[in-house]
Amino acid sequence: LASRSARRPASRRRTMRELTSTKPRAERASSFGAVAKDYDAGRPTYPAELVAWALGARPLQVLDVGAGTGKLTQVLADAGHTVTAAEPLPDMIVVLSRRLRDVRTVTARAEALPLDSSVYQAIVVGQAFHWFDQTRALSEMARVAKPKAVLALFWNTYAGPETWLPYPRGVPKQSLQALYDHPLWAEPDHRTYAWNHRITPRSLLAFVRSHSSVACLPAAERDAYTRDVEPLASEVAREKTLPMVTHVWRSRLAA
Ligand SMILES: C[S@@+](CC[C@H](N)C(=O)[O-])C[C@H]1O[C@@H](n2cnc3c(N)ncnc32)[C@H](O)[C@@H]1O
């Protein structure tokens, strides 16, 4: 670790917090479209075991909200669920639809879903709930959910030692308060799952470029940042995997 830090380019020793703090939240929330391909190439999937714990073994009608390029959608479809993917950014939907041709997509935010009421047996969110207006989104997701439907909120976190990697080590727990406070959703339970995300030097750079703090930089700055961290990424990629811990909070529609 010490040797990696020593070789970190002096000109750009910007931490994730420094990169992030200069941009308004709404701008970061919509930054992913510009890096949709990097997102798909670099970001981790979700462990099928944890998805099975949250949703059970029976095939369900599932709504994936903030579906992005379909990382979680793919795991749901592979498990036999019928999935509708809701995502506000058209660039992300293009990538999702290319991969998952049978999945119905809707261009929509969580707070205003253009979907019928009382349809879905499960609603899932991967790495996106913290971007929502949580209370409004929870009400809207309750509207489209069938009675006793499951709500599962997933987050991947990085569990390794690389402090330069712009990826969360913890869950944005303040966003969860809205779930505990919401009258329509039961108190959630929580589970974690440790696993390894397979990487190559190229996919790790894509992973770095897809983080909102980097994605919302002007393209030239994003390229410069990528060049700066390339030696670090090559070294980390020799391990071939990144240790991850995935969290899920699972609730049910009350009544
Ligand atoms: C970090 S990505 C996660 C994508 C995908 N669920 C995954 O696990 O890879 C966050 C996604 O949330 C979407 N998003 C941001 N604000 C949203 C909102 N208010 N409603 C629905 N989706 C939103 C973004 O467009 C982006 O695709």
Side-chain angles (χ1 to χ4, degrees), residues 105-125:
T105 60
V106 288
T107 308
R109 299 193 164 276
E111 301 81 1
L113 296 165
L115 297 168
D116 291 341
S117 301
S118 304
V119 170
Y120 294 96
Q121 296 164 299
I123 302 196
V124 301
V125 182

Side-chain angles (χ1 to χ4, degrees), residues 32 39 46 66-68 71 87-89 109-111 126-128 131-132:
F32 299 105
Y39 193 102
Y46 294 84
K71 293 270 167 188
E87 161 61 39
L89 300 178
R109 299 193 164 276
E111 301 81 1
Q127 212 81 9
W131 294 118
F132 302 171

Side-chain angles (χ1 to χ4, degrees), residues 33-246:
V35 291
K37 283 189 188 139
D38 284 326
Y39 193 102
D40 203 49
R43 287 286 188 120
T45 177
Y46 294 84
E49 294 83 348
L50 202 57
V51 171
W53 175 79
L55 268 56
R58 201 163 54 92
L60 302 175
Q61 290 287 339
V62 183
L63 176 65
D64 182 1
V65 186
T69 63
K71 293 270 167 188
L72 180 55
T73 325
Q74 174 89 61
V75 181
L76 296 160
D78 290 348
H81 300 295
T82 302
V83 195
T84 299
E87 161 61 39
L89 300 178
D91 290 334
M92 300 295 258
I93 292 185
V94 166
V95 177
L96 184 151
S97 298
R98 217 172 273 148
R99 174 147 43 125
L100 292 160
R101 292 183 192 277
D102 296 336
V103 166
R104 176 186 172 204
T105 60
V106 288
T107 308
R109 299 193 164 276
E111 301 81 1
L113 296 165
L115 297 168
D116 291 341
S117 301
S118 304
V119 170
Y120 294 96
Q121 296 164 299
I123 302 196
V124 301
V125 182
Q127 212 81 9
F129 186 67
H130 54 287
W131 294 118
F132 302 171
D133 175 331
Q134 286 93 28
T135 302
R136 282 179 57 211
L138 286 166
S139 298
E140 184 63 343
M141 293 191 292
R143 181 186 66 75
V144 300
K146 273 191 190 293
K148 303 222 173 116
V150 171
L151 173 68
L153 308 178
F154 293 88
W155 278 275
N156 281 322
T157 63
Y158 169 59
E162 302 297 333
T163 51
W164 65 274
L165 251 189
Y167 199 75
R169 272 140 224 287
V171 169
K173 285 208 177 126
Q174 62 288 0
S175 66
L176 279 164
Q177 192 56 47
L179 176 58
Y180 283 88
D181 292 345
H182 202 284
L184 297 178
W185 294 101
E187 186 164 331
D189 42 15
H190 171 232
R191 203 166 259 218
T192 59
Y193 190 91
W195 60 288
N196 288 312
H197 172 44
R198 288 197 68 77
I199 52 164
T200 63
R202 188 189 277 247
S203 78
L204 185 57
L205 280 180
F207 177 94
V208 166
R209 287 169 65 88
S210 76
H211 190 271
S212 63
S213 59
V214 181
C216 65
L217 294 172
E221 270 196 63
R222 194 160 67 227
D223 291 345
Y225 182 79
T226 311
R227 276 197 301 279
D228 280 346
V229 297
E230 203 168 345
L232 294 168
S234 295
E235 194 168 323
V236 174
R238 275 198 218 132
E239 305 289 328
K240 300 208 177 347
T241 59
L242 285 184
M244 310 293 297
V245 173
T246 304

